[in-house]
Amino acid sequence: LSPAVLGDIESLETFIKQHREEAVGGVLGPAAYLSTMNFMTRARKPEFRALPAESERIDWLWAQYDSVRGKPRRLQVVNEAYSSALITVYMKNANFIGTRRLMEAIRAYEAEHLTPRGIALTFAGDVAVSQTLIDAIVTTQIRSVSGSVLGVLLVVALVDRSFWWGLLTVLPCALGVLANFAVMGYLGVPLGVASSMFTGMTVGIGVDYAIHLLARFRLNRSRGETVESSLADAFAITGPAVTTDALGVAIGFGGLTLSLVPANARLGGLVVLSLVNCLAATFLLLPALLRFFHTDR
């Protein structure tokens, strides 16, 4: 209810609005609401689109807000005791790097302008929560990808009794995941809770392509065929089936790109890209390795 405190809040709202480069699309808080209420109750004269200078006027405006929108809506802006308030920052195409810069700038503003006035800030909302989770997401992402690749490698190595074949099996899908991360970094696609799930899907689905190709190649070699003929037959037999499998799964996940939820749309696109990368690595990398390192280890 203090004009001075509301003035500090208005300055904060203005400061946040200036950070358009950090994806800030708009800011709504108690100062913005009261300025609008003052404007509307003063015959919509432009000169009154500002905060009142009297506490009595501010108290009256809050009472009008209760009458027009209802007390429950007002309590979403300020609490019952008028001791805390909510400022909503609308983000458009936010990413973790820009959001971190914005939050750091707000914290610096708080320390310089608000803390001396006895005003404290707390972040809340989906964007702020996701921001606090980003370190955990990256850490668990590294662990999960490493664990998945190592698990597949060990299973294939034990079944085929060869570490070499296990390594060849996981190499294409591992490169597909790395290529996706490179594309994400180049295009500035943020790594979030949803978009991080493509790695496990790629390893789980894409490893099949190498397994089929290598199984046919080894069968041919066991029959005494040359490396070249074994590769040619493996491609002729498994190539069409593997390609059909990859395209079918990619089309299925591609439906997510039509989602109106940006995170789901990004996930669909990343899964499609990673499966295509995995298929390409299987067809381009494995034959070269098998051609030059074809000893049965």
Side-chain angles (χ1 to χ4, degrees):
L1 300 178
S2 167
V5 173
L6 282 170
D8 292 333
I9 296 176
E10 184 178 40
S11 298
L12 173 62
E13 294 177 11
T14 302
F15 172 78
I16 298 175
K17 287 179 183 177
Q18 295 171 352
H19 289 72
R20 301 291 182 180
E21 67 277 7
E22 271 80 47
V24 175
V27 180
L28 276 180
Y33 284 115
L34 285 178
S35 297
T36 302
M37 288 291 296
N38 197 40
F39 165 74
M40 296 180 69
T41 57
R42 296 279 192 171
R44 299 177 181 266
K45 295 181 179 180
E47 62 269 23
F48 289 109
R49 189 182 285 276
L51 289 172
E54 307 83 15
S55 296
E56 294 78 9
R57 174 71 180 176
I58 294 173
D59 190 22
W60 182 84
L61 287 175
W62 282 126
Q64 295 304 305
Y65 192 97
D66 286 355
S67 299
V68 175
R69 306 205 68 187
K71 187 175 181 180
R73 296 296 298 271
R74 194 259 299 166
L75 291 177
Q76 296 176 7
V77 182
V78 293
N79 65 346
E80 187 72 51
Y82 294 96
S83 59
S84 63
L86 176 67
I87 296 177
T88 302
V89 181
Y90 295 93
M91 311 288 288
K92 183 176 182 180
N93 297 325
N95 61 77
F96 291 106
I97 296 176
T99 301
R100 184 181 69 246
R101 289 198 300 261
L102 175 63
M103 295 174 70
E104 290 173 350
I106 293 175
R107 282 301 185 196
Y109 184 93
E110 175 193 17
E112 182 178 355
H113 300 282
L114 302 180
T115 301
R117 304 274 294 172
I119 301 176
L121 297 180
T122 301
F123 291 111
D126 292 342
V127 174
V129 171
S130 298
Q131 192 69 28
T132 61
L133 291 176
I134 186 61
D135 291 335
I137 292 174
V138 173
T139 301
T140 56
Q141 182 75 1
I142 295 174
R143 292 176 181 173
S144 62
V145 172
S146 301
S148 299
V149 172
L150 181 61
V152 173
L153 189 153
L154 291 177
V155 169
V156 176
L158 289 174
V159 172
D160 292 338
R161 299 179 182 180
S162 171
F163 178 81
W164 171 245
W165 293 115
L167 184 61
L168 287 178
T169 300
V170 301
L171 197 56
C173 58
L175 289 178
V177 170
L178 290 176
N180 256 35
F181 281 128
V183 172
M184 291 173 66
Y186 180 76
L187 298 179
V189 178
L191 179 65
V193 176
S195 58
S196 65
M197 294 190 295
F198 82 89
T199 55
M201 297 177 181
T202 302
V203 175
I205 300 172
V207 72
D208 293 351
Y209 312 151
I211 289 176
H212 290 305
L213 183 65
L214 291 174
R216 186 68 186 187
F217 174 82
R218 295 187 69 189
L219 177 63
N220 293 334
R221 289 287 289 162
S222 68
R223 294 171 175 172
E225 298 183 20
T226 64
V227 173
E228 288 76 8
S229 62
S230 296
L231 281 174
D233 180 76
F235 266 87
I237 298 299
T238 66
V242 167
T243 303
T244 303
D245 180 13
L247 294 178
V249 175
I251 292 174
F253 278 103
L256 287 175
T257 59
L258 303 178
S259 173
L260 297 179
V261 180
N264 290 342
R266 284 194 292 265
L267 174 61
L270 290 172
V271 172
V272 171
L273 178 62
S274 62
L275 292 179
V276 172
N277 290 338
C278 186
L279 182 66
T282 300
F283 284 169
L284 297 177
L285 180 64
L286 285 187
L289 292 176
L290 292 172
R291 177 65 179 81
F292 293 102
F293 305 98
H294 57 268
T295 56
D296 295 326
R297 286 174 281 181

